[in-house]
Each structure stands twice: as structure tokens, then as C-alpha cells.
Amino acid sequence: MKEKKIFLKILLCLAMLTVAGNMRAQATFGSSTNPERGALIEIKQKESSPNPVNWKPDSLENATKGFIAPRVMLIAYDSLAPIYTNPTPVEKLKATGMVVYNVSSTTKGLPKGLAEWTGKEWASLVGNAPAKMIIDCNAVKVNGYYYKNKPLVPGVNTMSVPVQISKHGVYNIQAFVLRGNGPNEAAFSFSAKGEFFSASSATITLMGEGTPLEATSDIGTNNTIRLIVNGEEYQCQSGALPTVYVEKYEPKYTFDCSNVTVIGIPKKNRPINPLVPAEDLKIKVRIYCSGQGGSYSITTATINGIYFSATGQLTHGFQDIELQGYGTPLKSGKYPYLITGNSTIATATCTATVNVPYQELHVLIYSNQGDIWDLSRQDAAIPMMLRNPAIFDLGQDPNAKFHVDKINRLGKVKGDINKYNELSMSVLRKFSAIIISFEAIPNEQAIDSLIKYVKTEDGTLLYTTDEAWWARNRMAYLINKLSGFTWCTVNDAGTNKNMPIEPSSNYTNYPFVSGNLAVNGQYEDLTGKYLGRDANGNFFFANPPSDWIIIAGTRAKAKLIMHKKYRVFLSGDGGIFSGGYNYPAADGRAARVDANGNPIPAYITDKIVAGTPTEVHNAHFLANMLIWAFEASSDK
């Protein structure tokens, strides 16, 4: 403080002399010459003489003596003490630009040397200050394997150190491995140097170096770690640092790939449970150990939501290892898993194929023999698409849009389904989906069962109507009862024409339809395209309640609708799904497919509004709708 006062007195005296002498706003200390034009104060003994054309470093020299800044014992990087006692926020800001020489080597967060106050903290002018950080000791991880008398491998034998940085700056982190519990150091360690440029979180990778000279089994305990951060031993605020296990022998083994077996049958969306044999999943692999022993660690990557791993001790010769499965299968199909281990023999890998079986759907189809849902037909659109491996696969092609082992078609009827027990809950709950074709007409008791089925059993219902008046009335009964309204009718006047399909944005917010609906569906996005009319009648839904989505048509004349909450799809006429392969262009049945069962457009002319035929995509729509229905059913 005394030096500071003397220095300030000298500056004050010089300033007073300068002001008294010439009353100038600028001043020079050390000579009688004028300061540079842009400087308030300049300290110099003589004028410099730089030449921009023939510049030399010594031409800038203007003194042979130096400037001694005030020397202060600063307390911390974020404190103005002892210069200020309890400074106000305004005083902290006004002190911005203050320069001192910090003579303390123990200042918190600030090295010895010149420092400038930034308004919030001191910034070192002689080098970056050490960073301030908190280490999550519980999350520190030692990477790689360690073997007696084997040098550590750069980039493989590392230590991951998660840090929370409270003040930017340089860091020097060293992790010394101790012999057992210490205090003597082992012959290998980890270290990293660098700089943080902002307060944030990061994970620092410390590189290992050295050679372990003793195995854990030699000293009877794992090696512990002493952490040094910026020259000071770090004390964990919570948790503890990991230990390092050193193997006595390198694991040397190979896989016998002819003896790889998958034990258990996984199921889509069912977690693997080792405690329940029917829900467990393992991979059994045989290895041959050519070394003296050691430990094995055998794993796979996570694929389709599951992975496998096993650890244990090696014995010389053959061993059968069971890798335990973990996770939940996300999709059906066959997935290859590359099995790798910690063997020092580089070629030690093998592959196991895990088959997650496709769902066998139990679908109840009420239709007439020979109609569009008769799966034995070779020319109709629906059975041809179901047999097409590029769309539904039936368990064959992994690139298909949807997979299913088989579909059970039960019931071949025509006319009124007037027996309650045909669609009773005891029957319905056995099936994932119910399909009622346009020639099968459920009575009101059966419809009551269907409503209960979709509400309580989370079932899927696809229902198309017929031209008979009682068929239309039954569908209106279902709509009104499911919605609690009585104002929807099913009519046929004036609607025998092609109707535009509504944009997918109309229903993207509903859970059972988002991403899997028949318009913006898995097979093709039909937004803006057209649905073709029926060959004869073309029935519609007049003003369906607001809890129904309009897929084709308008609210006043809706051709296709789907419920927002329940898995129910209704068509005003099933005839729009009639069609198939090799139909004449003039034929009104619009669901067209090629010889392989791939949907193709049809060109249908409106009966009411004559003109150029419209390109319609009934078969594409049907493929999307069936994918949605079957996938919704398989999720049950």
C-alpha cells in the first residue's frame, strides 16, 4: 500500500507540474517532448524515429528504462481486494482497465504477473489463467484393457474425465496410478493439457503412457488413482474415482463360428427378461483360448433396440460362453450381430443372426365367396397386393413395406349378419382386426359388439357399405352411436364422381393416424391425388360428426372417413376397391394393379361431370390403408 501511495503521489505531482507549466490536456513523463497526438499520457526519454519505407525494429526505441506498475497481493481472480473494500457494482465497472502487477503466487484463479481488471474479474496479461472446474468423479471412466508388462496403447488406453467449467482458462490434468491403495506410484499414468475458452461442460480425454509392471492379482487389490489439476491434488466433492484393473495375462482366444446359437425367441416391443425363461434371449458362442488365461469381455453393438454381452475368466482350451441379451426389440425381421471381444488376436470376431418373428395377424373377414376380399382370387387387387413381396411380404422379403406371417380369413357370407353370436365379444376379442366387406351387412346387435370391440379391445375395424338401404342405415347407426350423435345419413344422390383426397395435414395430430394413414401413408403420399368412383352407385356420408376425419370428399359429402380416436375406417361403398389386373381401361373398377400386384393408376371418367378421364389411385390408397390397419393391429 505504501508503494502504491508513493506512486500515486508521484503521478499527481507530475500531473500538477504539467498542468501548471503549460495547461495542456496531454502530458509526457520522462522528457520535455510532446506526447504522440493520440495519447493522453506518454512515458519516454526521447523521440523514436520509425520509417515506414525502411523500417527497423530499433527505430521505435524511445527509452532505456522501464515502467514499474503497482505491485499488489491480489486475493482472487474475481475480487478487487485489497484495492477496494466491498466495492459497489458501479465502482467495479469504473475500475475497468486498471492494471497492476500481482505479486502473489497463490491468488485464486490468477497467475503471478501483470493483470487487467475487466469490470468483472482480473485477466492475466502474461499468460492465460488456470481454468476453474468441477470433476464428476463418479463419471470418470478408464478405457481399454491393461496387462502386466504390456505398454499402454495411445488412443486406446485413455481416461475420460467429465468436467463442469466455471471459469475459462488453461488446464493441466494428470492422473497418477498408484500401486494398489498407494502411496507409491505405479509405472503408468494419464494426462492432458489444453484450454477452455468458455464456461461450459466438457469431457477431457487423458492419454495413457507407461507400462504396468504388476497385475492386480500380484498386489491383491486394484490400483487407485490420484488426480492432479493445475498443480494441485483434486479432492472429489462427491463420489469416488475409479480403480484400474491390470490383467496378469493377455486374453488370446478365437471364436468357433460354426457353434453360434441364439437361445430364445424375441418378440417385438417385449423387453428381454432374464428372470422369465420364455422372455429371455441369449447368444451362445464357443471360443478357444490359446493363452494362459485372463479375462474375456465379449459384446455386440446395439441393433434393433437390443445388444448382448458377457464377461468372465478364460481357461486354456474350448469354452462355451452365453452372451446375455438386453433391451427391447423394436421391429420384426432378421438382424445380424457382429460379436467382438477383448482378445488380442485381431481376427477374433463372429456373427449371429437374431430373428424377431413377424406378427401373425388374426383377421376376421366377413365377405362373399369370390368378392374383393377372397384371398384365393388370382386377379383381384387385394389378394394380389397381399401376395406381393414388395408390399406385404407375408414373411418373405425384408424390404417389404409391411411384414406379416399370415392372415386368417374367416367367414364367407353374403347378406345380413343377423345372428348376434356371429359378432359377439367372445368371438371378436380373438382377432386383431375385423374386415366387413360390402356384401356383408351386420345388424344393430352386431354393430353394438363392434363398437365395444374398438373401444374396449383396442381393435381395428374396416367397414364398407352396400347399395341396399338397410346396409346404409346400419353404417349410419354405427357412426352415430360411436359419436353420440344422430344427424349423419348415408345417401347416394349426385355423388357418382371422382372425389379429391384431402391433404394429410388435416389429420396429422391424431395418435392413431399420424404417419400411417391411407393418404400420406407408408406406400405412397397421395396428397392432392384422386380416388376413383365406383362402377355403379357411389355412396357418401352426409355431415359425419366432428370426431371423424374426412379422407375423401367434403364434410357434406364424405366418401372415406376415419375416426380420430378409435381404429375405425369406413368407406361409403366397397366397390371403389374393386379391380385388379388386366381390366379394360373403360371398366369402372378403379383399383388397378400390374401382373406382380403393384398398384398402378387408373383413368376413370366422372359419370355426372363428363370430360377427360381423371387419373385415380385407388389401389395405392388401398395399400396404404391396409398397411395402416395391419400395423395398428400388430401393435396390440
Side-chain angles (χ1 to χ4, degrees), residues 207-260:
M207 296 297 170
E209 57 183 348
T211 302
L213 301 179
E214 295 174 297
T216 295
S217 59
D218 294 334
I219 58 179
T221 183
N222 286 0
N223 296 295
T224 54
I225 295 172
R226 181 170 66 235
L227 203 59
I228 306 297
V229 178
N230 292 332
E232 298 181 1
E233 184 163 353
Y234 187 84
Q235 301 296 328
C236 294
Q237 296 184 8
S238 62
L241 293 169
T243 58
V244 183
Y245 183 84
V246 179
E247 294 274 3
K248 190 170 187 176
Y249 304 107
E250 293 185 52
K252 297 180 180 180
Y253 58 89
T254 55
F255 292 102
D256 179 3
C257 294
S258 63
N259 283 282
V260 177

Side-chain angles (χ1 to χ4, degrees), residues 432-562:
S432 302
I434 308 296
I435 297 174
I436 299 178
S437 186
F438 60 89
E439 291 186 324
I441 307 169
N443 62 9
E444 292 185 359
Q445 281 184 311
I447 289 177
D448 289 338
S449 294
L450 290 171
I451 292 174
K452 186 176 180 181
Y453 167 74
V454 297
K455 284 187 173 182
T456 63
E457 300 294 323
D458 199 23
T460 301
L461 172 63
L462 306 183
Y463 183 12
T464 58
T465 189
D466 190 38
E467 62 267 21
W469 66 268
W470 64 87
R472 286 177 271 144
N473 287 345
R474 301 285 169 74
M475 186 169 280
Y477 175 80
L478 183 146
I479 295 172
N480 295 323
K481 189 156 187 180
L482 191 62
S483 302
F485 292 90
T486 58
W487 50 311
C488 177
T489 59
V490 183
N491 305 288
D492 64 346
T495 59
N496 202 344
K497 61 180 180 180
N498 305 319
M499 290 196 174
I501 295 175
E502 294 290 304
S504 61
S505 60
N506 286 357
Y507 46 80
T508 53
N509 294 327
Y510 305 114
F512 293 117
V513 296
S514 178
N516 287 313
L517 269 183
V519 176
N520 186 12
Q522 289 194 38
Y523 186 79
E524 185 172 331
D525 184 0
L526 301 177
T527 303
K529 298 183 180 180
Y530 280 78
L531 178 77
R533 62 172 174 81
D534 186 21
N536 298 304
N538 207 51
F539 307 105
F540 66 88
F541 306 101
N543 299 313
S546 60
D547 55 346
W548 291 86
I549 303 159
I550 308 301
I551 294 179
T554 64
R555 180 66 62 178
K557 296 180 179 181
K559 192 69 182 69
L560 304 174
I561 60 176
M562 180 176 287

Side-chain angles (χ1 to χ4, degrees), residues 28-61:
T28 299
F29 297 130
S31 73
S32 59
T33 59
N34 292 328
E36 290 300 320
R37 185 161 59 93
L40 287 173
I41 297 176
E42 184 178 8
I43 302 175
K44 59 183 178 182
Q45 291 176 293
K46 61 179 182 179
E47 291 289 347
S48 60
S49 55
N51 186 341
V53 178
N54 187 22
W55 184 83
K56 295 180 180 180
D58 59 1
S59 66
L60 289 175
E61 182 186 28

Side-chain angles (χ1 to χ4, degrees), residues 10-34:
I10 293 173
L11 287 180
L12 180 61
C13 291
L14 289 173
M16 291 175 64
L17 289 172
T18 302
V19 172
N22 50 31
M23 298 297 291
R24 291 180 300 177
Q26 297 171 288
T28 299
F29 297 130
S31 73
S32 59
T33 59
N34 292 328

Side-chain angles (χ1 to χ4, degrees), residues 290-504:
S290 57
Q292 296 175 282
S295 300
Y296 65 80
S297 177
I298 304 174
T299 61
T300 71
T302 299
I303 300 174
N304 192 34
I306 58 178
Y307 71 96
F308 301 84
S309 68
T311 58
Q313 293 298 312
L314 291 166
T315 58
H316 183 77
F318 287 101
Q319 282 179 260
D320 288 329
I321 309 296
E322 289 188 354
L323 281 65
Q324 178 62 54
Y326 300 93
T328 301
L330 302 178
K331 295 181 179 180
S332 300
K334 296 179 179 180
Y335 299 90
Y337 286 80
L338 180 65
I339 303 171
T340 61
N342 62 333
S343 174
T344 55
I345 300 176
T347 57
T349 62
C350 217
T351 300
T353 299
V354 176
N355 181 28
V356 183
Y358 299 124
Q359 182 84 17
E360 179 179 332
L361 294 182
H362 295 274
V363 181
L364 177 61
I365 302 177
Y366 271 100
S367 65
N368 182 43
Q369 180 71 35
D371 80 350
I372 61 174
W373 282 99
D374 188 341
L375 303 185
S376 65
R377 287 185 60 177
Q378 300 300 312
D379 61 341
I382 291 174
M384 289 186 70
M385 285 194 291
L386 291 176
R387 289 192 294 267
N388 182 356
I391 305 178
F392 289 99
D393 171 39
L394 291 180
Q396 302 300 317
D397 189 347
N399 297 315
K401 299 290 183 181
F402 186 75
H403 303 276
V404 60
D405 280 342
K406 67 179 181 178
I407 299 174
N408 298 303
R409 179 179 181 271
L410 302 179
K412 298 177 181 179
V413 299
K414 182 175 183 179
D416 198 3
I417 307 175
N418 53 19
K419 295 180 181 179
Y420 173 74
N421 57 7
E422 289 186 35
L423 288 178
S424 65
M425 285 304 299
S426 61
V427 173
L428 295 180
R429 64 167 49 101
K430 298 177 182 179
F431 300 95
S432 302
I434 308 296
I435 297 174
I436 299 178
S437 186
F438 60 89
E439 291 186 324
I441 307 169
N443 62 9
E444 292 185 359
Q445 281 184 311
I447 289 177
D448 289 338
S449 294
L450 290 171
I451 292 174
K452 186 176 180 181
Y453 167 74
V454 297
K455 284 187 173 182
T456 63
E457 300 294 323
D458 199 23
T460 301
L461 172 63
L462 306 183
Y463 183 12
T464 58
T465 189
D466 190 38
E467 62 267 21
W469 66 268
W470 64 87
R472 286 177 271 144
N473 287 345
R474 301 285 169 74
M475 186 169 280
Y477 175 80
L478 183 146
I479 295 172
N480 295 323
K481 189 156 187 180
L482 191 62
S483 302
F485 292 90
T486 58
W487 50 311
C488 177
T489 59
V490 183
N491 305 288
D492 64 346
T495 59
N496 202 344
K497 61 180 180 180
N498 305 319
M499 290 196 174
I501 295 175
E502 294 290 304
S504 61

Side-chain angles (χ1 to χ4, degrees), residues 253-304:
Y253 58 89
T254 55
F255 292 102
D256 179 3
C257 294
S258 63
N259 283 282
V260 177
T261 306
V262 177
I263 304 172
I265 300 176
K267 185 177 181 181
K268 175 185 172 183
N269 295 330
R270 184 185 68 186
I272 297 172
N273 186 356
L275 301 179
V276 180
E279 300 176 4
D280 197 8
L281 187 65
K282 293 183 174 72
I283 294 177
K284 185 178 180 179
V285 60
R286 177 168 292 181
I287 64 174
Y288 177 78
C289 175
S290 57
Q292 296 175 282
S295 300
Y296 65 80
S297 177
I298 304 174
T299 61
T300 71
T302 299
I303 300 174
N304 192 34

